Amino acid sequence: MSTPWWYYVLGTPLGVLGLVRWSLWLVRRVPAVLYAPAGGTYRLPMTVVVPVYQEKPGIFARAIESWLANHVEEIILVIDITDTVCQEIARRYPVTVITTKVPGKRDALRVGWNAAHTELVALVDSDTIWAADVADEVCKPFADPRIGGVGTRQNAHERHGFLARITDMFLDHRYFDENACQTRFGRAVSCLSGRTAIYRRELLLEIEHDFMNETFWGVPCLSGDDKRLTTLILERGHLTYLQRTARVWSTFPTSARAFVAQRLRWARNTWRSDLRALSHRWVWSHPFLAYTMLDKAVSCFTLLVGPAFMGYALIHHHWLFAAVLAAWWQISRSAKLLPHLTQRPSSFFFIPGYVLLSWVMALIKIWALLTIRTQRWLTREVAVRGGQVIRTGQDGAS
């Protein structure tokens, strides 16, 4: 008697694990569907602060023009002293330019918000292009005095090519799933991405010392500034919010090597921040935030069970099992990416690549956990050596 098809879905350990994972996802998905951006006309004065280091000239100029089009009170560009190209571009526009000899992004952010004078400060990456209404939209959640920081919805600027398409899918999943549900249940977004995050300036000044002196197991932290800022805001009892109507676009790696380097840095930052948060009492006052942190920590291990079963099925010629599993991945990932697919239906054909890259990222996350103490930017010529942040590469040697 042939084995019924449902056995391959429900009658194996993989099927049981799949049901558990789907149940956990639904716990996030329901509040994510109920998410709504803040409305109204609330507006506060805002300064844009941008740390700049060897940005592509064309993208940098377009980004500056997009910030100016939002009619913010001031734009402060903190540019590395070695970056003469970006300094020249910046001087073409009505912006404030500050040059810095200190390597790394954190000190540039600190210099920028200390130079600002407005109630709100937008910390922005130098390759991030704003929609025309970002400044208006991100102010709206601040009508609630408990809100300390607000994040935006981000997408890839160049959405052509395999890595760009997959990155855009991951971004939409983040802003329509994880960040949306964290906003709806608890108003505690775990990370306001550094590409564009808006804070109350008084809070930035309050947390400045802890931000600049962060260490992990005795080693100064070089990256992870956005995660650290978000955590410090939440630790002090303030709330964080996703304003998804505020749209921004950034560049992302187009080479496999740069992609892996970026994801490895992000994964280390997430492990360090989440493990530390889960060991402190404050995070448990946001139970849904704690839940999503734990779920993310476990998911990189459970995600690799699927390909292990697929490999076993192919080696032992269990073709039906392999076919059902492949079909399930296509259907299930499409369901989870439905908000993205409704806007870009052609991404349906990128689902197999999305699944494959999910496995690669799971391996990266595990490697990041095993090397959690390593402090390298990987895509910037700065590193921590002997407990100090230093320049690397040719500009450092000179």
Side-chain angles (χ1 to χ4, degrees):
M1 183 177 179
S2 61
T3 304
W5 66 269
W6 52 261
Y7 169 80
Y8 296 98
V9 179
L10 302 175
T12 67
L14 180 61
V16 174
L17 177 61
L19 288 174
V20 171
R21 292 301 306 162
W22 260 81
S23 299
L24 294 174
W25 175 73
L26 286 173
V27 172
R28 300 199 314 271
R29 188 60 196 149
V30 171
V33 171
L34 298 175
Y35 160 86
T41 58
Y42 191 73
R43 179 69 192 258
L44 288 172
M46 181 188 304
T47 298
V48 172
V49 169
V50 188
V52 184
Y53 178 74
Q54 295 183 0
E55 191 54 75
K56 294 178 181 178
I59 291 291
F60 185 41
R62 285 194 61 188
I64 293 175
E65 291 165 5
S66 75
W67 307 327
L68 288 169
N70 273 263
H71 305 292
V72 295
E73 276 60 36
E74 187 178 14
I75 297 173
I76 299 175
L77 307 179
V78 185
I79 307 178
D80 191 281
I81 196 169
T82 64
D83 192 350
T84 56
V85 173
C86 285
Q87 291 175 44
E88 178 61 30
I89 293 171
R91 292 191 177 99
R92 303 173 191 169
Y93 298 96
V95 299
T96 302
V97 176
I98 301 174
T99 57
T100 178
K101 296 181 180 180
V102 181
K105 185 178 178 181
R106 291 201 179 203
D107 191 71
L109 291 171
R110 180 193 64 81
V111 169
W113 73 54
N114 274 277
H117 297 94
T118 55
E119 187 170 345
L120 296 183
V121 174
L123 304 181
V124 185
D125 279 356
S126 55
D127 64 344
T128 300
I129 298 170
W130 281 14
D133 60 350
V134 168
D136 290 331
E137 289 298 317
V138 295
C139 286
K140 293 176 181 178
F142 286 105
D144 183 346
R146 298 172 299 171
I147 299 294
V150 172
T152 59
R153 177 189 170 188
Q154 300 157 18
N155 286 101
H157 173 55
E158 296 291 343
R159 295 191 282 178
H160 304 289
F162 174 75
L163 277 179
R165 291 294 297 267
I166 299 299
T167 296
D168 212 46
M169 294 163 73
F170 276 111
L171 287 169
D172 273 350
H173 184 258
R174 176 182 181 182
Y175 294 110
F176 282 88
D177 190 304
E178 179 182 344
N179 286 9
C181 71
Q182 289 174 340
T183 298
R184 182 63 182 84
F185 273 10
R187 297 191 176 189
V189 177
S190 59
C191 180
L192 301 177
S193 172
R195 293 185 186 88
T196 296
I198 297 81
Y199 297 95
R200 297 187 190 273
R201 180 174 178 269
E202 61 179 353
L203 298 183
L204 292 174
L205 297 174
E206 178 184 326
I207 65 177
E208 181 177 301
H209 180 270
D210 289 343
F211 174 67
M212 294 302 301
N213 293 280
E214 181 192 9
T215 61
F216 188 84
W217 290 356
V219 179
C221 291
L222 177 64
S223 58
D225 46 274
D226 49 2
K227 188 81 169 171
R228 182 59 173 164
L229 286 170
T230 309
T231 299
L232 289 171
I233 292 293
L234 291 169
E235 274 187 5
R236 282 159 173 77
H238 305 286
L239 303 177
T240 53
Y241 197 97
L242 165 66
Q243 183 69 349
R244 206 165 60 199
T245 51
R247 299 286 308 273
V248 305
W249 294 266
S250 296
T251 60
F252 289 86
T254 55
S255 71
R257 182 176 182 179
F259 177 87
V260 170
Q262 184 185 68
R263 292 287 171 168
L264 181 58
R265 186 182 79 243
W266 288 355
R268 284 175 178 151
N269 295 334
T270 298
W271 280 119
R272 286 191 284 259
S273 179
D274 288 359
L275 290 176
R276 178 163 45 200
L278 290 168
S279 67
H280 288 77
R281 184 178 300 175
W282 71 265
V283 77
W284 300 102
S285 65
H286 301 282
F288 198 80
L289 174 62
Y291 163 77
T292 55
M293 286 182 176
L294 290 169
D295 183 59
K296 181 181 287 188
V298 171
S299 65
C300 64
F301 298 98
T302 59
L303 191 61
L304 294 175
V305 175
F309 269 82
M310 175 63 86
Y312 178 87
L314 294 175
I315 290 172
H316 292 85
H317 302 165
H318 296 321
W319 308 121
L320 181 56
F321 182 93
V324 170
L325 189 54
W328 171 247
W329 286 332
Q330 183 74 22
I331 295 170
S332 63
R333 296 308 186 276
S334 296
K336 292 182 178 181
L337 288 167
L338 191 59
H340 175 86
L341 293 176
T342 55
Q343 299 179 36
R344 301 199 74 185
S346 61
S347 292
F348 178 81
F349 300 103
F350 285 83
I351 294 293
Y354 178 89
V355 172
L356 178 62
L357 211 56
S358 297
W359 300 337
V360 173
M361 290 168 58
L363 292 171
I364 290 173
K365 289 179 182 178
I366 293 172
W367 178 247
L369 179 61
L370 297 175
T371 59
I372 192 172
R373 199 164 179 262
T374 302
Q375 290 285 348
R376 284 293 306 274
W377 191 276
L378 300 174
T379 53
R380 276 179 179 245
E381 293 179 334
V382 290
V384 174
R385 292 180 185 168
Q388 298 294 323
V389 179
I390 65 165
R391 299 183 190 275
T392 61
Q394 292 182 348
D395 61 337
S398 63

